[in-house]
Amino acid sequence: MVDTTSRTPPARLDPALLRLGITVIVGTVTAMLDMTMVAVALAGLTRTFHTSVTTIQWVSTAYLLAIATVIPVTGRLAERFGARAMWRFALAGFLIGSALCGLAWSAGALIAFRALQGVGGGMIVPLSMMILAQAAGPDRRGRVMALVAVPGQLAPILGPLVGGLIIDAGNWRWIFYVNIPIGLLALLLARRGIPAAPPREPGARWLDLTGLALLAPALALTLYGVSARTARIPLLAAGVVLLAAFTVHGLRRRRVAPLLDLRLFAHRPFAAASTLNFLSRLSVFGVMILMPLYYQQVRGHGALTAGLLLAPQSLGTMLALPVTGRLTDRIGARPVVLAGIAITTLGTLAFTRVGPHTGGVALGAVLLVWGMGVAAVAVPVSAAAYEGLAPAQIPGATSAITTVQTVGASVGAAVLTAILQHRLAHHRGAPSAAFDAAFRWVLAFTALTLLPALLLPLRRARPEPDTART
């Protein structure tokens, strides 16, 4: 029988660590809120710049693509130059990008500046986890990671509300300008609040520059080819060729670690979880783009009202997160994910029936339940991705799966807005029919998640017995 009385109590979160957590959260909240604030501004931006939904969605897609590109290299850069230096670089890049976005004079300029903003914003979240994980140590890591999760939990609710309030009260440019004072405060706090760690000396080849040079244009050309009206086939072909070249390059054995460890996809739980993450993010982010547009273009609501009406989805996710975590630990990932897919499928089916006079209470209830289904898919899949991996493989797996998630969100934005724009042109004078058609595609993508879900582990693997004990 284990003697529980002799166990050492958990180490306390001392004031220095709490101050570090607050410092990191101030920086993280800017990037997290920015991703969700912009969603309610897209409808207004199409009018401001006299452009289509297909074009203006690149305001979101360019940001996500930049994030997907920098996530795999963030850890290497932190090792080379130190986490504090990279944290300050990421914040500075995010602030400069935010200021330029606020000054944008055209849709093209705004898209380009959003990509620059995404380079800094994409580094902020992984750096925040790295800084706190190193400072906390194993005994306090779980509680400290809960602090990092706070912006991620609040952003889906507060982002659309704050964004809608700014747009209705003033000007869309302040969605980006509001980042500047918060970011400057984060930089000031980081000057003393984040400890300096000595950077490691790199070898001759410390970063996979070839992989980086292949991946960024491959993703951009492929997604642009999906949404482009002209030269679609050549763009797609160029993107696919670059992706194939990146795959061949990533599978070669060499001294430097690859940008993404593609050999991880030979591991069945990881491959299934990654495929499911891609498809689910595609459909989830598609809904997050389509619903604000529906509320504003079909129902005629302002940006603030649209943000308020989206709150039930985030509330449902927050309510379901703790429950799905406990269920996953108890019964395994596959049954929880299958239940989540069933819930999100039913919710998306209801979205295909929305019209100009759909009851607000009924639609809010659907969003609440759909948000619960999203949580029931996201939490178990994140846990299942690491099933059976060695500890040394976990950092590479984290980078790979985060990149897959971000690319899935980018594809969702590009594909579904292209579909919506096509259907709007077809159903002139009846925008609700165009949204119904777009949501049917979301329903199809949601149904596809069933295939990789069936390949997830049925139950959690039992821990190996400690042979050292007698």
Side-chain angles (χ1 to χ4, degrees):
M1 185 173 180
V2 179
D3 182 11
T4 59
T5 61
S6 61
R7 288 180 179 172
T8 304
R12 295 179 58 188
L13 298 182
D14 57 82
L17 187 57
L18 289 173
R19 284 195 298 270
L20 177 62
I22 292 170
T23 299
V24 167
I25 285 175
V26 171
T28 306
V29 73
T30 58
M32 298 297 292
L33 283 176
D34 192 82
M35 292 181 69
T36 52
M37 282 195 297
V38 173
V40 296
L42 295 181
L45 290 173
T46 59
R47 296 188 295 269
T48 299
F49 293 122
H50 307 290
T51 188
S52 66
V53 173
T54 307
T55 299
I56 210 65
Q57 64 84 22
W58 276 90
V59 172
S60 294
T61 300
Y63 186 81
L64 291 169
L65 279 178
I67 290 176
T69 303
V70 301
I71 282 175
V73 304
T74 301
R76 297 296 177 84
L77 292 172
E79 288 181 357
R80 173 65 181 90
F81 300 105
R84 183 172 71 173
M86 290 309 304
W87 175 258
R88 294 167 70 176
F89 171 82
L91 282 174
F94 183 77
L95 288 179
I96 293 170
S98 296
L100 290 173
C101 286
L103 295 170
W105 55 88
S106 67
L110 180 57
I111 291 166
F113 295 147
R114 278 286 281 174
L116 174 61
Q117 188 191 34
V119 171
M123 292 183 177
I124 287 175
V125 173
L127 283 172
S128 67
M129 297 176 67
M130 188 184 308
I131 290 167
L132 286 179
Q134 291 173 346
D139 293 337
R140 303 179 294 181
R141 193 166 291 155
R143 285 169 290 164
V144 171
M145 287 298 105
L147 291 175
V148 185
V150 170
Q153 299 295 324
L154 296 178
I157 295 177
L158 295 181
L161 297 181
V162 174
L165 184 63
I166 290 172
I167 292 168
D168 283 359
N171 191 295
W172 65 266
R173 299 180 188 274
W174 282 97
I175 283 183
F176 304 106
Y177 289 150
V178 76
N179 294 326
I180 296 174
I182 303 173
L184 289 174
L185 174 61
L187 276 173
L188 182 64
L189 292 173
R191 186 175 181 180
R192 291 181 177 271
I194 296 180
R200 300 178 185 177
E201 288 298 325
R205 301 170 65 197
W206 61 278
L207 182 62
D208 183 10
L209 295 176
T210 304
L212 183 61
L214 290 170
L215 181 62
L219 294 176
L221 286 170
T222 302
L223 285 180
Y224 192 69
V226 167
S227 59
R229 293 185 179 182
T230 59
R232 176 175 295 181
I233 300 302
L235 289 169
L236 276 173
V240 170
V241 168
L242 286 174
L243 282 175
F246 173 78
T247 302
V248 172
H249 170 76
L251 293 174
R252 289 172 54 196
R253 296 187 180 275
R254 55 196 183 281
R255 286 172 54 197
V256 66
L259 192 67
L260 292 175
D261 188 357
L262 299 181
R263 290 185 176 85
L264 288 169
F265 291 92
H267 185 64
R268 176 175 153 176
F270 182 84
S274 297
T275 306
L276 184 53
N277 260 308
F278 178 85
L279 291 171
S280 63
R281 286 303 178 100
L282 191 156
S283 57
V284 167
F285 204 81
V287 172
M288 291 178 67
I289 290 286
L290 292 175
M291 285 306 298
L293 291 171
Y294 160 77
Y295 277 126
Q296 293 174 78
Q297 294 189 355
V298 177
R299 306 298 290 268
H301 294 308
L304 177 58
T305 304
L308 287 167
L309 291 170
L310 290 171
Q313 176 261 313
S314 301
L315 179 61
T317 300
M318 288 184 65
L319 291 173
L321 280 174
V323 179
T324 54
R326 288 194 296 268
L327 281 174
T328 301
D329 288 340
R330 184 178 302 174
I331 64 176
R334 192 194 301 177
V336 180
V337 169
L338 291 175
I341 290 173
I343 293 170
T344 53
T345 300
L346 290 174
T348 309
L349 183 62
F351 293 150
T352 64
R353 300 291 187 268
V354 296
H357 306 294
T358 303
V361 174
L363 192 51
V366 172
L367 281 167
L368 180 75
V369 174
W370 182 80
M372 292 180 176
V374 169
V377 174
V379 173
V381 170
S382 297
Y386 300 103
E387 192 77 27
L389 294 181
Q393 294 176 298
I394 289 177
T398 302
S399 292
I401 205 160
T402 306
T403 302
V404 167
Q405 289 173 343
T406 310
V407 172
S410 304
V411 173
V415 170
L416 289 167
T417 51
I419 292 170
L420 176 64
Q421 186 66 35
H422 175 73
R423 302 311 296 177
L424 284 171
H426 183 72
H427 295 284
R428 293 187 182 276
S432 62
F435 278 91
D436 289 349
F439 278 121
R440 281 197 291 272
W441 279 93
V442 177
L443 180 63
F445 293 138
T446 303
L448 282 177
T449 60
L450 181 64
L451 299 176
L454 294 173
L455 299 177
L456 292 174
L458 185 59
R459 286 188 170 274
R460 293 185 64 190
R462 294 183 178 180
E464 293 292 330
D466 189 354
T467 56
R469 281 185 188 172
T470 57

